[in-house]
Amino acid sequence: MHMQTFALLLAGAVALVGCLSDSAEEAPLSSKSQGLLGDWRLALADVEPDEFAFSYSFARGGTFTNRIGGAFLKRIEELNEIEGIDIDTGRIDALDGGFLIFSGTWSEDGESLDLVFDTLEIEVFGTVPLIGRLALPIHSEPLAGDNQLRYGCRVAGGRLTLDGQSLTLGIGASEIAGLDPLAVEVLRMVGDFALSQLSASDADEYVMTRVD
């Protein structure tokens, strides 16, 4: 009798813990956070998406990815001429472009969006016979130091407006120290090209549109 009672109590405790775990994992997001979820692309006039693409992707688990690149980064292959840089593009004979990819964690607090950048990756792409377009990661490194950005943030009508001093890490007012030589050169290429596409009115306010 006592064993049966103990078994029932134990089963009830396990069920309760399970319910608590499920509720913790499925904690509801604020309406602002819910509105941020998904993919957003920087809206720039007179710029072909294949030539230059800038996007943020926000996931429910509090992680984000920031991709910057396009056809203009096919110049990455020229970096092999710099001492200390050796890029292996594998089966891709000629590059069609590339991407600089940041990842990290995000949180919002009322009107602010906070991004903590953890990792930097570099990816190139090209066309391979019998396969088609192939993307190849060529570099990855963790980011050291305090790499954070805070934006004023508004979401309305399929548009995300970010107010801040820097478009992303290393583009604008922010800097990154201690990077691998390849990452330094690619970030310089990305920064120069991105800033050349922004008008004076975009200097502190960046409008992004939702990607369906």
Side-chain angles (χ1 to χ4, degrees):
M1 183 71 174
H2 291 298
M3 290 297 295
Q4 290 177 338
T5 302
F6 176 76
L8 288 172
L9 289 173
L10 181 60
V14 170
L16 179 59
V17 170
C19 290
L20 289 175
S21 299
D22 291 343
S23 64
E25 291 175 358
E26 299 175 4
L29 296 174
S30 69
S31 58
K32 181 70 166 291
S33 292
Q34 188 70 40
L36 279 168
L37 297 180
D39 302 326
W40 301 86
R41 173 171 286 185
L42 184 66
L44 291 175
D46 303 322
V47 179
E48 291 294 329
D50 289 342
E51 179 66 16
F52 175 73
F54 182 103
S55 66
Y56 274 110
S57 297
F58 300 102
R60 180 177 294 274
T63 60
F64 76 88
T65 302
N66 175 209
R67 295 175 62 89
I68 317 109
F72 78 95
L73 274 183
K74 60 186 175 184
R75 292 180 50 219
I76 284 178
E77 57 191 350
E78 299 172 9
L79 298 178
N80 272 329
E81 300 175 5
I82 299 176
E83 184 176 355
I85 295 180
D86 183 17
I87 303 171
D88 181 7
T89 57
R91 300 172 64 183
I92 303 176
D93 294 329
L95 300 185
D96 294 331
F99 279 92
L100 175 67
I101 307 167
F102 290 116
S103 58
T105 56
W106 68 275
S107 61
E108 63 87 14
D109 181 14
E111 297 299 315
S112 298
L113 172 65
D114 292 299
L115 304 180
V116 179
F117 294 76
D118 298 327
T119 306
L120 175 151
E121 300 174 80
I122 300 170
E123 175 185 285
V124 295
F125 61 87
T127 303
V128 177
L130 303 180
I131 295 178
R133 176 165 163 165
L134 179 67
L136 177 70
I138 60 171
H139 180 74
S140 177
E141 65 178 289
L143 297 175
D146 183 17
N147 297 296
Q148 300 186 48
L149 291 178
R150 166 167 280 200
Y151 293 105
C153 173
R154 303 188 302 276
V155 181
R159 291 161 62 92
L160 167 62
T161 303
L162 300 177
D163 297 314
Q165 294 184 326
S166 181
L167 178 59
T168 185
L169 212 58
I171 302 180
S174 59
E175 297 181 359
I176 312 175
L179 291 178
D180 178 90
L182 173 60
V184 170
E185 292 299 324
V186 172
L187 185 60
R188 179 184 58 78
M189 285 182 175
V190 167
D192 290 347
F193 193 90
L195 291 175
S196 73
Q197 304 305 310
L198 298 174
S199 66
S201 62
D202 294 321
D204 296 311
E205 182 173 280
Y206 312 104
V207 178
M208 310 189 74
T209 56
R210 184 179 292 280
V211 179
D212 296 325

